Amino acid sequence: MKTPAFLFPFGTFRGYLFSYGMAGLYGGLTAFGTVMQIILKRKTFFTIKPRPTPPACLLDSALGEHRFVQTKPRPTPPACLLDSALGEHRFVQTKNVKLHYVCKGDPQKPLMLFLHGFPEVCLRGYGDSDKPDGVANYAVDKLVDDVRDVVHALGKEKCILVSHDWGGLVGWTTAAQYPELVDKFIVCNAPQIKHFMNAIESNWKQFFASWYIYFFNLPFLPELRFRCNDLQVFDYIFKKLGTKEDVEAYKYYFCRPGALTAPINYYRALQRCYGADYLDKIKNKRITSPTLVLWGRDDIALTEGLAADSCKSCDNYTIKMIDNCSHWTPFDKPDIVNKYIHEFLDKTK
């Protein structure tokens, strides 16, 4: 069953008007009701009765325990972030931002550049990378130019681009905008932005699966939700995908003041149409680089059809669907992912 396209035109100017039009409607109704209350109850409207002691129900432990939203301070990184066997932590200065990255291997060999997804720890706005203020600084065109600038700053002309989730959205766009930069493209559970937008507009299942994107467009509340109970959402996301120390690595970065706003701004920028003109200009560009799409079939955030839809713009592609695998493909099935990547690289030498 399709959604009416005129109602949910995600990522377009009409979508912008729809989102903020609804906010304006509810805001106007609330304002009207407030004015009427002031007129009808002007003597008591602004009066608050003092209540120095809490009522008994708030002191009744049988009803539950009162706690505070609190994030435990983490002044030192967990051991996995200091383990040189996992790679060396470095910084690269691009034209606009300084970015944190982890490197491993022979720098004389071809560059494999990995772009992660949300919520992880590199890219613009993440971890120890610069976090420019303002939603507009997380528009897709700026993220794509970061990829170009990193490749060149590392002394390379091109790379094998490997990506997942938000890194995949950026990766698809980079491969379209800068084909000479991307020798080969590998993407895990991430669609092209235009096909993702079309799916949200035309498919109820994808629309409801994308509820969190609309939630992230709210101010303050998404950040508060993530910080609740010592960043417990990371325990939920990664409890089956890594060790307790891995989870602590994420919490080490995201427990810092303001650390969640920049990553969530990726979603806000897309929904508020920052970079929309840029996306419109490149929407019909072909992906000429050999492309491998790896897709976990049990993804609850992205419908399976997006894998094939995203390849409609590709000249040379391979799709590998992975059974019993969630959205977190590289975490969930690392051996299978590595196997398919090795086979793809061997085949496209």
Side-chain angles (χ1 to χ4, degrees):
M1 185 177 180
K2 293 186 175 182
T3 55
F6 67 87
L7 189 57
F8 305 118
F10 177 78
T12 65
F13 182 68
R14 288 182 297 129
Y16 184 91
L17 290 178
F18 173 77
S19 296
Y20 286 94
M22 292 301 292
L25 173 63
Y26 287 118
L29 290 172
T30 302
F32 175 77
T34 301
V35 170
M36 292 303 297
Q37 287 288 311
I38 292 173
I39 293 173
L40 297 173
K41 300 182 179 181
R42 55 187 176 274
K43 292 184 179 180
T44 59
F45 186 83
F46 294 104
T47 301
I48 298 177
K49 176 183 173 183
R51 293 173 174 84
T53 57
C57 62
L58 294 180
L59 303 175
D60 187 351
S61 60
L63 299 177
E65 180 181 352
H66 290 259
R67 296 183 179 181
F68 293 91
V69 175
Q70 186 173 1
T71 302
K72 183 177 75 174
R74 291 173 171 83
T76 57
C80 62
L81 293 178
L82 303 174
D83 187 352
S84 60
L86 300 176
E88 182 181 348
H89 292 255
R90 294 182 182 178
F91 292 89
V92 59
Q93 181 66 54
T94 70
K95 294 178 182 178
N96 300 305
V97 288
K98 183 176 73 172
L99 299 173
H100 168 227
Y101 70 101
V102 180
C103 62
K104 189 174 175 63
D106 185 350
Q108 301 306 314
K109 291 185 177 181
L111 173 65
M112 289 187 74
L113 183 63
F114 291 77
L115 304 179
H116 65 68
F118 176 90
E120 297 177 64
V121 295
C122 290
L123 297 182
R124 171 189 292 238
Y126 283 83
D128 289 325
S129 296
D130 283 349
K131 300 171 179 60
D133 292 334
V135 173
N137 278 309
Y138 299 91
V140 173
D141 56 318
K142 291 181 170 57
L143 306 176
V144 168
D145 285 348
D146 283 348
V147 177
R148 177 201 62 192
D149 294 345
V150 166
V151 172
H152 292 162
L154 295 176
K156 303 291 184 178
E157 294 299 320
K158 59 184 179 179
C159 70
I160 299 168
L161 191 59
V162 187
S163 57
H164 171 246
D165 188 76
W166 248 108
L169 271 68
V170 175
W172 279 112
T173 313
T174 303
Q177 175 70 0
Y178 298 117
E180 73 285 353
L181 191 75
V182 182
D183 184 42
K184 298 176 182 66
F185 179 49
I186 300 165
V187 59
C188 302
N189 281 70
Q192 286 201 55
I193 291 176
K194 64 180 179 180
H195 295 295
F196 183 45
M197 292 175 176
N198 289 340
I200 290 178
E201 287 188 35
S202 61
N203 185 303
W204 278 112
K205 183 177 180 181
Q206 185 58 63
F207 174 75
F208 287 117
S210 303
W211 67 269
Y212 61 95
I213 295 176
Y214 295 97
F215 173 65
F216 284 170
N217 201 27
L218 295 172
F220 311 121
L221 189 58
E223 287 92 331
L224 178 64
R225 178 63 187 87
F226 267 87
R227 291 185 66 85
C228 282
N229 299 316
D230 193 34
L231 299 161
Q232 190 178 29
V233 69
F234 288 94
D235 297 298
Y236 173 75
I237 292 174
F238 296 111
K239 64 182 177 181
K240 295 182 179 179
L241 302 173
T243 66
K244 185 176 181 180
E245 187 175 75
D246 293 334
V247 174
E248 278 299 307
Y250 292 111
K251 291 185 177 184
Y252 168 73
Y253 285 113
F254 284 103
C255 74
R256 300 169 183 175
L260 286 156
T261 296
I264 293 173
N265 279 346
Y266 280 52
Y267 295 92
R268 290 169 175 151
L270 185 62
Q271 193 169 189
R272 297 176 192 180
C273 298
Y274 290 107
D277 290 342
Y278 168 84
L279 289 172
D280 189 59
K281 289 177 183 177
I282 68 167
K283 67 181 181 181
N284 294 321
K285 287 192 174 184
R286 303 288 300 174
I287 308 293
T288 57
S289 307
T291 299
L292 172 65
V293 176
L294 304 178
W295 203 276
R297 291 185 183 274
D298 297 339
D299 193 327
I300 62 172
L302 299 167
T303 53
E304 194 173 304
L306 285 169
D309 287 345
S310 295
C311 290
K312 291 177 180 177
S313 301
C314 298
D315 291 343
N316 178 8
Y317 68 90
T318 301
I319 300 176
K320 296 289 188 180
M321 306 303 292
I322 304 176
D323 293 326
N324 302 312
C325 180
S326 71
H327 172 76
W328 306 94
T329 334
F331 299 87
D332 216 355
K333 301 291 182 181
D335 293 339
I336 294 176
V337 168
N338 289 337
K339 173 179 177 289
Y340 284 147
I341 289 176
H342 277 291
E343 290 176 352
F344 172 73
L345 295 178
D346 288 340
K347 186 178 72 172
T348 54
K349 279 183 179 178

